[in-house]
Amino acid sequence: MIKSTNAATLVDVSALVEVLRTFADERDWAQFHSPKNLAMALTGEVGELVEIFQWMTEADSRDAAVDPVRAQAIGAEMADVLFYLVRMADMLGIDLDTAAKSKLALNTRKYPADLSRGSSQK
């Protein structure tokens, strides 16, 4: 696995990687965890998260987690998204800390604060 070389760690999922590996190994599921299958599963879980917000107004979406039942549902779907993302990164040998730092650096160059502040334009 590629390791991050920058000093500050932004993303450390090492403990989660180990838990998910063990979970999959105990069930003999690694055979099904190809990058293609994990990407498809990730997409399905994102769809389930989106479904919670589907017909909300912008304001309602900002307050979605006020209701404890809805907050639990949102958290559960977000956890599923996280699990599949972390498992896919593990299967591909992608270090999420390195990837996040690289993407943040790219976005910083692409969207300088003085030119991008207050604008949703890409």
Side-chain angles (χ1 to χ4, degrees):
M1 182 182 281
I2 302 166
K3 291 294 178 189
S4 176
T5 57
N6 294 15
T9 300
L10 299 179
V11 179
D12 183 357
V13 294
S14 56
L16 182 55
V17 166
E18 292 304 320
V19 168
L20 293 175
R21 279 182 191 165
T22 299
F23 186 87
D25 289 346
E26 288 174 348
R27 290 155 181 80
D28 193 26
W29 285 355
Q31 63 181 316
F32 308 117
H33 288 181
S34 68
K36 175 196 76 76
N37 287 350
L38 291 167
M40 291 171 65
L42 176 61
T43 300
E45 295 302 336
V46 168
E48 290 179 19
L49 178 61
V50 169
E51 185 177 24
I52 295 170
F53 293 93
Q54 186 171 7
W55 303 113
M56 289 183 189
T57 65
E58 293 290 326
D60 290 343
S61 71
R62 293 181 197 286
D63 294 331
V66 170
D67 171 34
V69 172
R70 187 178 295 137
Q72 190 279 330
I74 293 167
E77 296 306 335
M78 291 175 78
D80 285 339
V81 169
L82 176 64
F83 294 165
Y84 281 119
L85 180 66
V86 169
R87 185 73 174 138
M88 187 175 176
D90 182 35
M91 298 304 289
L92 289 168
I94 303 285
D95 182 277
L96 289 172
D97 187 61
T98 300
K101 288 176 183 176
S102 176
K103 186 63 177 181
L104 280 170
L106 175 68
N107 285 350
T108 299
R109 290 188 304 274
K110 190 173 178 181
Y111 306 107
D114 60 329
L115 299 177
S116 301
R117 186 172 288 106
S119 173
S120 64
Q121 298 295 314
K122 285 199 147 201

